[in-house]
Structures are given as C-alpha cells and as structure tokens.
Amino acid sequence: MALPKELRYSEEHEWVKVEGNTVRVGITDFAQSELGDIVFVELPEVGTELKVNEPFGSVESVKTVSELYAPISGKVVAVNEELNDSPELVNESPYEQAWMIELEATDLSEVEKLLTPEEYDKLISE
C-alpha cells in the first residue's frame, strides 16, 4: 500500500494535504480497505468551524459506520459534493478524487503534529 509522501496522517486514518493556508482532508487507503465498500458519506456544511480531533462527519460502509475526525483546527471552506452521488470514490481513489473537506487552517503548525508517511506506515503495520 503506497502512501503519498507529500501528505501527513492522523492516528484516526485521515490524510492531510497542505495547499497554502488551506488543508485538504480525506481518509487513507488503509482506512477505506478496512471499512469495505463505502455506501454513504456525511460531511459538514461549508462555514463549519472545527477543532482538532473533533468529529466532522461519518463514512458508512456495508460493514459499519465510522466517524471522521478533524486532523487540524479550521473553518470548512469546501466540501466534496461528488461524494454524495458517488461514495464509492472513497474506495476507488482515496487520495485523489475522494478528498472530503478543505479547511482554512486556524494554526498550520498543527500539521507538524501529524504523522509522517513513515510513522503512519509503522502504525498500520503493527
């Protein structure tokens, strides 16, 4: 399972891609494979303020429902509406097409507290 090197990862299996002061968030390939076939994604409204580790939505699979947690604090500035009609994109393209939200970061230094690809790889290998 190849991990994109430009991303950071949370222990709750979210990934983060920094683009200026905006952060794109999704779930990892490992998380989607553990969940199985994704049938529904619930995401917050644009404008929602999130604190680090606060739930912001959920992913429903044929097996279970799993909470999504904010890897950093910020304001939701975009939501991937495509997931409403095509939740299976989470299984097919977790790092490209299935991003979930974009946050305007409150404090970008929180990204430094997230796991590097190597640290996340070690976490999921244990």
Side-chain angles (χ1 to χ4, degrees):
M1 198 175 308
L3 290 172
K5 298 291 183 209
E6 73 277 9
L7 305 179
R8 297 289 265 209
Y9 301 87
S10 73
E11 290 183 10
E12 288 75 33
H13 310 288
E14 281 85 21
W15 57 260
V16 167
K17 181 177 185 182
V18 178
E19 298 169 329
N21 195 40
T22 306
V23 176
R24 188 171 268 198
V25 178
I27 67 169
T28 65
D29 192 31
F30 174 81
Q32 71 77 22
S33 68
E34 291 289 301
L35 288 168
D37 293 336
I38 306 296
V39 294
F40 182 72
V41 179
E42 179 183 44
L43 298 172
E45 301 281 322
V46 170
T48 303
E49 296 278 347
L50 298 174
K51 299 270 185 256
V52 68
N53 296 326
E54 180 178 81
F56 70 82
S58 62
V59 175
E60 186 176 334
S61 72
V62 292
K63 294 185 198 174
T64 187
V65 176
S66 185
E67 292 277 352
L68 300 167
Y69 295 93
I72 68 163
S73 303
K75 180 173 152 185
V76 178
V77 293
V79 174
N80 189 347
E81 302 289 348
E82 200 174 345
L83 297 179
N84 291 335
D85 297 325
S86 304
E88 69 279 359
L89 287 174
V90 176
N91 297 115
E92 296 165 5
S93 182
Y95 298 113
E96 291 83 26
Q97 293 177 289
W99 62 274
M100 295 184 173
I101 59 172
E102 287 184 353
L103 293 172
E104 188 177 278
T106 305
D107 180 2
L108 269 177
S109 71
E110 289 178 341
V111 172
E112 298 304 314
K113 296 176 184 151
L114 296 171
L115 303 173
T116 64
E118 295 76 22
E119 291 167 331
Y120 183 71
D121 189 44
K122 187 176 180 207
L123 173 77
I124 62 177
S125 299
E126 292 174 349

